[in-house]
Amino acid sequence: MKALVYLGPGRKQVEDRPKPELKASDDAIVKLSKTTICGTDLHILKGDVPSCAPGRILGHEGVGVIDQVGVGVTAFHPGDHVLISCITSCGKCEYCRRGMYSHCTTGGWILGNEIDGTQAEYVRIPHADTSLYPIPQGADEEALVMLSDILPTGFECGVLNGNVAPGSTVAIVGAGPIGLASLLTAQFYSPAEIIMIDLDDRRLQAASRFGATQIINSSNGQAAAKVKALTEGRGVDTAIESVGVPATFLLCQDIVAPGGVIANIGVHGTKVDLHLERLWSANIAITTRLVDTVTTPMLLKTVQSKKIDPKLLITHQFKLDQILDAYETFGHAASTGALKVIIEA
């Protein structure tokens, strides 16, 4: 089968790999229909994720059709259409019992990281009964690819961790796919203001279309001052960091109001400064989280009822044999205008 393989920092290629085989009784083999590229894949290629070793097939998102199941799989059968969760969970360990699927002792974020992932024709899914979701009849599978990762990530790590509430003020730093997913799902809670901050005017215009009440281009270094001006000098109740670089985490510290929350989503590959010398007395909470995907069933229903349309995030389409072109397009979003790309396997 064809697969996109990580060869080390800055290096990747399409290779012919053997079709995966069942290794445990609760495994399933899924034939991919559609997959995508995540910003985390770009972080892997930068060398920011040391747990991902050279030789790994990348990817942790997608939808497909069950090809084979182990004897212990009871919820799925060959031919079933399924959504693949970016988080693998056994459902039984201490962390899974607490709803922290991302820290499952035999799972967590392993797809495209510690085991081969979804940017291939087939993928092996451990703990299939609790790591796959049935796709409802008539569902738009392209839209559902966004539920593998970015929609629950934006919602859980940004909106829920950030305590977004009716009438509150929210700033989302970074208008990439995760930031826009946070924007879409923040509107469940009717905040009074959602301020989107980014360097890219095209992404900011997309944010306006998706429901941002204010947009700020931060390229001139005046973003914090503009946020303070919009909030009568107070700052925002929730600052969501969705990029993963020191400058954006610093900006969140500059704009959060007393009693507010900084909700970090971004994958950080280098240290950041925490200015406790000016935050210690401000009743600030800082949250971190790896998505648990506990909200995926709810989000599936929300998408099915057309309360939100994650397909708005899709800007480009490719075939699997064009995946290197897809990476080029996604990795140069400032010039291509890419948000999420769909790759048809």
Side-chain angles (χ1 to χ4, degrees):
M1 67 171 187
K2 299 294 184 185
L4 190 284
V5 179
Y6 169 63
L7 301 177
R11 299 171 57 221
K12 62 187 181 297
Q13 69 180 21
V14 176
E15 294 184 1
D16 285 309
R17 288 289 187 92
K19 178 183 172 183
E21 298 179 351
L22 299 170
K23 292 185 177 180
S25 62
D26 62 352
D27 284 352
I29 306 299
V30 177
K31 186 180 190 304
L32 269 296
S33 301
K34 300 178 192 299
T35 185
T36 186
I37 302 169
C38 181
T40 306
D41 297 321
L42 300 185
H43 277 283
I44 290 173
L45 287 166
K46 286 169 60 180
D48 288 347
V49 185
S51 55
C52 186
R56 180 70 60 229
I57 297 173
L58 294 184
H60 50 267
E61 303 165 86
V63 297
V65 179
I66 298 285
D67 181 66
Q68 301 176 58
V69 295
V71 295
V73 176
T74 60
F76 299 99
H77 304 88
D80 288 348
H81 289 244
V82 292
L83 167 67
I84 298 168
S85 174
C86 65
I87 298 296
T88 301
S89 59
C90 72
K92 300 175 182 178
C93 71
E94 178 184 356
Y95 288 115
C96 285
R97 291 293 184 99
R98 291 163 56 188
M100 291 177 62
Y101 301 151
S102 60
H103 291 273
C104 174
T105 56
T106 54
W109 174 40
I110 56 175
L111 282 176
N113 178 16
E114 298 176 11
I115 68 172
D116 286 337
T118 59
Q119 290 171 11
E121 294 180 65
Y122 293 86
V123 63
R124 179 179 69 90
I125 304 296
H127 304 313
D129 279 343
T130 44
S131 303
L132 297 171
Y133 295 89
I135 290 180
Q137 189 72 28
D140 186 329
E141 293 193 355
E142 287 192 0
L144 294 190
V145 174
M146 305 300 108
L147 271 71
S148 284
D149 182 355
I150 65 164
L151 219 62
T153 295
F155 184 50
E156 294 175 17
C157 305
V159 176
L160 294 184
N161 266 20
N163 292 334
V164 174
S168 64
T169 55
V170 180
I172 302 172
V173 181
I178 290 291
L180 293 172
S182 299
L183 168 63
L184 289 173
T185 55
Q187 293 170 70
F188 293 160
Y189 295 97
S190 301
E193 293 279 359
I194 306 178
I195 305 165
M196 185 65 78
I197 304 169
D198 200 273
L199 299 167
D200 187 325
D201 283 331
R202 280 193 290 189
R203 288 188 164 189
L204 290 170
Q205 291 304 317
S208 289
R209 296 195 301 272
F210 295 174
T213 58
Q214 302 283 346
I215 56 173
I216 296 174
N217 188 306
S218 56
S219 58
N220 62 2
Q222 299 300 308
K226 291 179 180 178
V227 170
K228 291 294 182 72
L230 289 169
T231 56
E232 299 179 341
R234 195 176 69 89
V236 296
D237 300 307
T238 302
I240 297 175
E241 197 288 322
S242 62
V243 182
V245 297
T248 52
F249 189 77
L250 176 61
L251 179 56
C252 287
Q253 295 177 65
D254 290 341
I255 63 177
V256 68
V261 180
I262 298 172
N264 183 82
I265 306 177
V267 178
H268 290 270
T270 187
K271 72 177 184 68
V272 300
D273 290 328
L274 176 61
H275 287 284
L276 280 177
E277 76 279 4
R278 55 187 171 85
L279 293 178
W280 72 269
S281 61
N283 296 38
I284 300 299
I286 299 174
T287 67
T288 67
R289 186 171 183 173
L290 183 59
V291 63
D292 293 302
T293 66
V294 292
T295 62
T296 299
M298 180 275 287
L299 291 169
L300 268 167
K301 293 177 182 177
T302 305
V303 171
Q304 280 296 101
S305 66
K306 303 188 186 304
K307 298 296 183 184
I308 56 173
D309 182 9
K311 198 170 180 179
L312 293 170
L313 299 168
I314 300 169
T315 55
H316 294 75
Q317 308 262 353
F318 297 90
K319 300 289 188 181
L320 183 60
D321 60 7
Q322 300 171 305
I323 193 167
L324 292 177
D325 295 331
Y327 263 93
E328 187 72 14
T329 298
F330 185 69
H332 294 86
S335 58
T336 63
L339 291 175
K340 288 296 280 187
V341 301
I342 286 290
I343 299 162
E344 187 173 344

